[in-house]
C-alpha cells in the first residue's frame, strides 16, 4: 500500500500513514514516571544500607542500624549518661532476643517479631514518638502520604 492509496480514509483511529509512529519508536519516550516512595521504603533503604566502619583496626561493612547501636554502646562505655540510660532500657530486650534465638536454634520466630516491637516501643518512648506509628513505619503497613486511609 502506498501513501497515495485512494481506498484509505483518514479519520478517527486512522491517522495519515506519514504521521504514524515509526517501527521501534513509541509515543512515550521518557517512559512511565517513577512512583513516589512511602516513608517505610525510605527508612528501610536508609537504615539497612551498608556503610564502612572500623572495628578493632579492620574495615567492615555493617548496616546503619548496627553502626548506630555500636555508637550507642560505645557512648555508654565512655560513661555518657544519656547513652547509658538508653542502653539500660534496651538491654532486657537484647537479652530476650538472644534467649529466643538460642531456644529456636537461630531461626526467626514470632517471638523475634514481639522483641522487635518491644525495641521499637522503647525507642519511640526515648524519642517521644507514637510506638504504633513507629512500628507501622518500620513494617511498611501505613501510607503516610494519605493518612486518612
Amino acid at each position: 500500500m502506498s501513501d497515495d492509496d485512494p481506498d484509505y480514509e483518514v479519520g478517527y483511529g486512522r491517522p495519515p500513514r506519514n504521521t504514524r509512529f515509526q517501527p521501534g519508536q513509541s509515543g512515550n519516550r521518557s517512559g512511565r514516571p517513577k512512583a513516589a516512595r512511602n516513608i517505610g521504603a525510605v527508612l528501610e533503604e536508609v537504615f539497612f544500607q551498608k556503610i564502612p566502619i572500623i572495628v578493632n583496626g579492620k574495615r567492615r561493612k555493617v548496616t546503619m542500624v548496627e553502626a548506630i547501636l555500636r555508637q550507642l554502646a560505645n557512648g555508654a562505655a565512655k560513661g555518657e549518661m544519656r547513652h547509658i540510660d538508653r542502653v539500660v532500657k534496651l538491654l532486657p530486650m537484647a537479652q530476650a532476643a538472644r534467649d529466643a534465638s538460642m531456644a529456636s536454634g537461630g531461626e526467626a520466630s514470632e517471638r523475634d517479631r514481639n522483641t522487635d516491637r518491644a525495641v521499637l516501643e522503647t525507642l519511640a518512648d526515648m524519642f517521644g514518638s507514637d510506638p504504633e506509628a513507629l512500628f507501622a513505619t518500620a513494617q511498611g503497613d501505613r501510607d503516610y502520604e494519605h493518612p486518612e486511609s
Side-chain angles (χ1 to χ4, degrees), residues 46-127:
V46 169
F47 286 134
F48 294 103
Q49 73 178 350
K50 298 269 186 169
I51 61 170
I53 65 169
I54 297 175
V55 179
N56 296 331
K58 294 183 181 179
R59 188 178 168 108
R60 288 185 51 195
K61 285 195 137 195
V62 299
T63 63
M64 181 74 72
V65 172
E66 183 178 344
I68 290 169
L69 292 174
R70 284 179 182 274
Q71 286 288 75
L72 185 63
N74 289 339
K78 290 178 184 176
E80 296 177 20
M81 291 307 293
R82 187 178 73 211
H83 291 163
I84 291 171
D85 179 53
R86 291 180 178 166
V87 166
V88 167
K89 288 180 181 178
L90 290 173
L91 201 53
M93 285 163 272
Q95 186 63 40
R98 183 177 184 188
D99 293 344
S101 176
M102 292 178 78
S104 66
E107 297 177 10
S109 67
E110 184 62 30
R111 290 196 346 235
D112 291 340
R113 186 172 173 90
N114 292 336
T115 302
D116 290 347
R117 179 179 282 280
V119 169
L120 287 171
E121 285 174 356
T122 302
L123 290 173
D125 182 50
M126 285 180 194
F127 299 113

